[in-house]
Each structure stands twice: as structure tokens, then as C-alpha cells.
Amino acid sequence: MELRALKELLAGSGLFVYEKSADEAQNTCVVMVRNGLDKCLAVAGEKADLFEGKEEGGIKFCPLSNENAAALGVLFPYTKPASHKGHKFTMGFGDRLGLATAGHVRAIAGHDIYPVFAQQSIRELNLTHRTFADIIAAAAFNVFQEGYKGGYGADGDHLKTKEEIKYALGAGCTMVTLDCSEHIDQQAAAYPQEKIDVMYAELPEATRTHYEELYLNKELPIIGRLSADDLKRIVVVFHDAIEHATDCYHYIDEIRTVDVDFELSIDETLTITTPAEHFVIGNELHLAHIVPISVAPHFSGAFEKGIEYAGDLNAFARDFVVHQEIADFFGYKLSLHSGSDKFAVFSTVGKVTKGHVHVKTAGTSWLEAMRVVAEVNPDLYRHAHKFALEHRHEAEKYYHVSTDVTEIPNIDLQNDAYLPEYMTLAASRQTVHITYGLLLEQPWFREEFFRTMAEHEEDYYAALVRHLGKHVRILTAENGI
Ligand code: ZN
């Protein structure tokens, strides 16, 4: 069947047709349609058997299941995630709801950005009871709905073990962000030198000799000379993490079936990453013939979830320039995590990296969904807002936040028109930001929330275009991206 014929059949069906989705391959036509609030694929033609669904009047109606996402990928490879190697500006758009990617597609329109639409950490998956297969399927259906053919990546974010890597790659992730924080002695930055000396002396002689020959009594690129004390501390803090990274990298190489982008993240540490630490880590990876696509140091200042950067912007810029020099020296990109809403640093990040950078966002798309709820379903927002306030302390186990809940105006004293303002106040933003998992677990919230979002999907896309579009605009200005 031809696409035109399928559309004609659908025209009389009373179903809403997502016009941009219509596509054909291998004598098979597929269109995304909506019946009331339920979306499905309408399939007709030779390969309809690839899909699971119900036949009605010559059209097979197929639910948005993970199996049907895989079938879609067979017909239309652009709906499957792929490596972002070779792309200059790459950006992660985590979508905890499975609803946001269509808005993200529109937010990057007109920019030369390679998006990583599927991006979740194990923590996010656990809190939302989703799997990597679920998030990749959601991204695939959104991409198809929008007729977006520019390619996208899937990031297994903050993976810590080989088991987690295996899980992510098995589900189709094309990027691994390795989080080495459990192999970093988080307290060591504060240890007295005597303690560092003892710990260093306990390392195998070959390890010590390796580091001393490479880094002592030498003028090193970018960072100059390293003192023996500094080197010992770096080795004590990071040696185990470097070994873990090397080990995991080789493991990825062994089990991967497609190209995989490898990012090393050392951002979830208690102290900021010094240039000397970054240089030694970069050099050790280089000596092990590992070229990560990106490295995420812990930059100076506070990058808290869902709110603006807090800290000394000039100190950040000075620091960032040196980290960029190190990244250039070893041939990878810097990666900025918790990039949601950090408008104060975006301009510097874009300028210093010349747009050769990876930036991750996630929670801010959930907050935009809650802004829509505040606008169109005030009763649900009020209920959710109070629940979030009551349960914030539980979510604080997973997320470090510093805003003060006593600064949040009492919602019982506000009219409905004011409610969207809660999504601009830092304290209420963070409260709603970190309690997404708890909220989405409540049946009273879940059902009405998803119904509200389905009824107002265009409002959600518009909110994402405005808000993520602002991220993109400031990050890419002047770089011709
Ligand atoms: Zn991170």
C-alpha cells in the first residue's frame, strides 16, 4: 500500500494523524495516530508482520510497545540510536516521562546539534520504574512522530559496574557514561599528608615507579611541575578509578555490537577536580590507548539540580579554560553534567569550547511538564506541590539540594494564576525536581498527570521549545551551530 492510500483510509477513521510521522520503506507504510488520548502506529504493507497489533479494515493498529519500537527500527533505521562520534556539539536531553523527546526535536531544529535523546542513569530508571529498553523505545516513537531523521544517541548515564554496562548496551545504548565515584576515595582530599604518605607507600612498587617516572621532576604540558606530595595525593585518590575506567573500557570493546561513545565522569565527587588531577587521569587513559569521547570533571561552583549555577563566575571561567586545554591536548571533549538551567555559565562554555562540547540536561524537562500542569490543571498541581513538600526529605537521599523550603510561599494563599510561578522559584523548583520518582509512584498523581499531559501535548512541546531552546541558543551562539 502507498502512503497516500493509507492516509486516505485514515482520513475517514476519526483518528488524529501525526502528519510528520508518515513514512514508507520496503513496501510498507507507517503513520503515528491517536485515538482519543491513546497513540499507536497504523501499519500497512508487506512488512506489517514485523509489528504486533490488531488488523482492522486493511490497517494494522500497533501499540507503542518496546517490540514495536524494534520493528520500527528495522524499517526506519533513523529511529534507532547511534553513536555521536565526529559530531561537534552534542547534548543530552534526558526524558523521565517518555513524552518530551518530540519537544526536544523541535528545540534543536535549525541547529547543528547531535542530540542524545535517550539518557537516563540507573538511579532515574529505578525511581521511575523504567528500563533502558523503555527509554529507547520512547525516544524512537517520539523521533518517528516528528519525522526527525538527524540521528540521536542513547546514554547509559552514570553507570558504575560492568553489570550495568552490560544491561545498557544490551538494551541498545550507544553511549556509556562511566561513573568512577565508587572507586575514588572521597575523603582523601582532606587527609593530612602523613596519612597520604602511608597510603601511597602501601601501593605496589611498580605502580609508584610508574607514576614517579612519568610525573616527577618534569615540566608537564599545561600544568607545569607536580610536587611529590601532590602526585601522591592524586595517585591515592584516583589510581583505583583509573584502573576501573581502563577495565570497563576494554569490557565495552569486548561486548559491544555497535559503535559506543565512552564518557568518563568524575563529577560526582566531594571536591572539585584540579587541573593536575585531570591531566594525570587524561594522560593515564592516553597511555592505555583509551580515547574517551568526553570527560566530565567536577567544575568549580555549585551545579545543583534544576536551578541556576551558584558560585564565582570568573573562577569558573579560569578553571574551565584550563580543563579545555587539557581536553584539547588529549583529544576529547569536556562534558558538563547537571546542565539544566545553568544559563550563567553557558556563554563561557560555548565560547571556550568553540561549541565542541557535551552538555547534559534532564530534570528541567520534567519541571516544564509540571509548569504545564500548573497552568492547565491547578488542582493536580496543588496536590502534587504539597506532596512534594511533605516528601522532599526522602528524595534528599538521592539528590543534593540546598534551597530552603521555608522560602516557598504557602500555596493555600495563592490563586491559580500564580501557580506556574512556583516553577521559577528555586526552592519550589528543586522540591518538585527531586520528588519526581515519589510523585510518579502515586496512582492519584500518575493517572491524572499522564492524562493531562496527553490532553496538552502541544503545550508541553511549546514549553520545551522555549526552555530548552534557550539553553541551546546561549550555548551555541557565535559558533555557527
Ligand atoms: Zn553527572
Side-chain angles (χ1 to χ4, degrees):
M1 185 186 288
E2 292 198 351
L3 207 43
R4 194 167 36 85
L6 175 61
K7 282 187 183 174
E8 272 165 23
L9 270 181
L10 287 167
S13 68
L15 298 170
F16 177 82
V17 174
Y18 290 85
E19 286 292 337
K20 286 183 276 182
S21 70
D23 205 356
E24 54 190 319
Q26 303 179 41
N27 298 319
T28 311
C29 307
V30 187
V31 180
M32 175 87 75
V33 296
R34 180 158 49 76
N35 182 8
L37 295 178
D38 292 326
K39 290 183 191 180
C40 67
L41 299 175
V43 184
E46 274 176 28
K47 299 282 180 183
D49 285 351
L50 285 174
F51 296 84
E52 297 177 338
K54 259 212 309 254
E55 184 117 8
E56 244 174 78
I59 302 175
K60 196 165 184 182
F61 292 97
C62 310
L64 303 189
S65 64
N66 294 358
E67 292 74 19
N68 284 337
L72 200 61
V74 173
L75 282 187
F76 309 114
Y78 61 82
T79 62
K80 289 198 298 187
S83 154
H84 64 250
K85 268 184 201 73
H87 291 274
K88 204 174 149 193
F89 186 79
T90 51
M91 188 157 169
F93 295 92
D95 173 11
R96 293 170 182 161
L97 303 168
L99 305 173
T101 299
H104 296 151
V105 166
R106 299 183 193 183
I108 62 166
H111 294 276
D112 186 10
I113 293 177
Y114 193 89
V116 177
F117 286 141
Q119 169 208 283
Q120 297 280 273
S121 63
I122 300 288
R123 176 173 62 189
E124 286 172 305
L125 292 179
N126 290 340
L127 289 172
T128 53
H129 306 288
R130 299 167 84 206
T131 63
F132 277 123
D134 295 339
I135 64 155
I136 291 172
F141 289 127
N142 274 254
V143 156
F144 181 71
Q145 179 186 311
E146 290 299 299
Y148 169 80
K149 299 186 171 118
Y152 72 96
D155 181 5
D157 198 8
H158 281 280
L159 305 182
K160 293 180 175 169
T161 62
K162 286 184 183 172
E163 290 70 43
E164 291 178 357
I165 291 170
K166 190 174 175 189
Y167 166 38
L169 295 185
C173 282
T174 56
M175 175 174 181
V176 167
T177 297
L178 182 70
D179 177 335
C180 290
S181 57
E182 282 172 7
H183 294 264
I184 292 171
D185 189 336
Q186 299 279 359
Q187 311 303 327
Y191 290 157
Q193 190 62 42
E194 302 82 70
K195 183 161 178 177
I196 294 289
D197 291 345
V198 172
M199 291 170 83
Y200 183 77
E202 283 166 1
L203 290 169
E205 195 188 338
T207 305
R208 284 181 278 129
T209 315
H210 165 87
Y211 284 104
E212 287 163 18
E213 282 180 356
L214 279 165
Y215 303 101
L216 276 191
N217 306 315
K218 278 206 172 77
E219 195 63 32
L220 298 161
I222 306 163
I223 60 164
R225 295 178 89 82
L226 257 184
S227 73
D229 284 358
D230 282 347
L231 178 65
K232 284 180 189 171
R233 195 176 293 268
I234 292 171
V235 173
V236 165
V237 176
F238 290 104
H239 174 64
D240 192 24
I242 291 165
E243 292 222 301
H244 181 61
T246 311
D247 198 28
C248 288
Y249 182 88
H250 293 311
Y251 180 68
I252 291 167
D253 224 23
E254 238 169 69
I255 67 163
R256 72 188 174 86
T257 52
V258 293
D259 248 5
V260 174
D261 304 322
F262 178 74
E263 172 170 311
L264 179 70
S265 100
I266 43 173
D267 66 310
E268 298 222 341
T269 53
L270 294 176
T271 51
I272 63 166
T273 310
T274 65
E277 289 166 348
H278 183 179
F279 182 86
V280 172
I281 292 165
N283 199 46
E284 289 301 312
L285 294 181
H286 173 75
L287 293 171
H289 307 290
I290 293 171
V291 186
I293 195 136
S294 43
V295 170
H298 182 160
F299 297 111
S300 73
F303 285 81
E304 281 191 26
K305 303 289 172 187
I307 57 169
E308 184 54 279
Y309 173 83
D312 179 339
L313 285 169
N314 285 319
F316 170 82
R318 271 196 305 275
D319 203 45
F320 194 78
V321 166
V322 183
H323 284 300
Q324 181 60 40
E325 279 179 51
I326 296 168
D328 282 341
F329 186 78
F330 293 115
Y332 49 74
K333 301 198 272 198
L334 290 178
S335 176
L336 187 74
H337 286 204
S338 301
S340 291
D341 307 279
K342 304 300 180 293
F343 301 108
V345 302
F346 285 164
S347 172
T348 298
V349 167
K351 234 181 161 68
V352 172
T353 61
K354 300 189 178 73
H356 200 89
V357 66
H358 187 68
V359 177
K360 297 196 188 195
T361 69
T364 204
S365 293
W366 149 250
L367 287 173
E368 286 308 306
M370 288 303 285
R371 190 194 300 275
V372 172
V373 170
E375 279 162 8
V376 303
N377 191 341
D379 289 346
L380 180 61
Y381 181 80
R382 285 177 188 277
H383 195 172
H385 178 97
K386 288 183 182 176
F387 179 90
L389 272 174
E390 275 164 35
H391 294 270
R392 171 167 155 154
H393 62 279
E394 293 165 44
E396 284 178 4
K397 275 183 260 173
Y398 309 105
Y399 293 102
H400 171 73
V401 287
S402 66
T403 49
D404 178 0
V405 290
T406 64
E407 287 172 5
I408 302 173
N410 182 351
I411 198 165
D412 288 333
L413 302 179
Q414 314 303 325
N415 62 27
D416 287 350
Y418 175 81
L419 300 184
E421 292 304 309
Y422 282 111
M423 292 297 94
T424 56
L425 296 174
S428 43
R429 268 184 86 75
Q430 278 198 327
T431 305
V432 174
H433 184 292
I434 65 169
T435 47
Y436 65 93
L438 293 162
L439 274 165
L440 289 166
E441 269 174 358
Q442 309 307 311
W444 61 263
F445 178 77
R446 198 179 169 81
E447 281 161 34
E448 204 177 337
F449 171 76
F450 280 105
R451 189 177 51 73
T452 303
M453 295 309 291
E455 283 168 356
H456 297 273
E457 68 174 358
E458 284 298 327
D459 293 330
Y460 188 35
Y461 300 154
L464 291 168
V465 166
R466 187 185 48 75
H467 191 60
L468 273 310
K470 183 177 170 189
H471 286 66
V472 165
R473 226 171 33 252
I474 303 179
L475 278 161
T476 60
E478 290 179 30
N479 289 316
I481 290 167

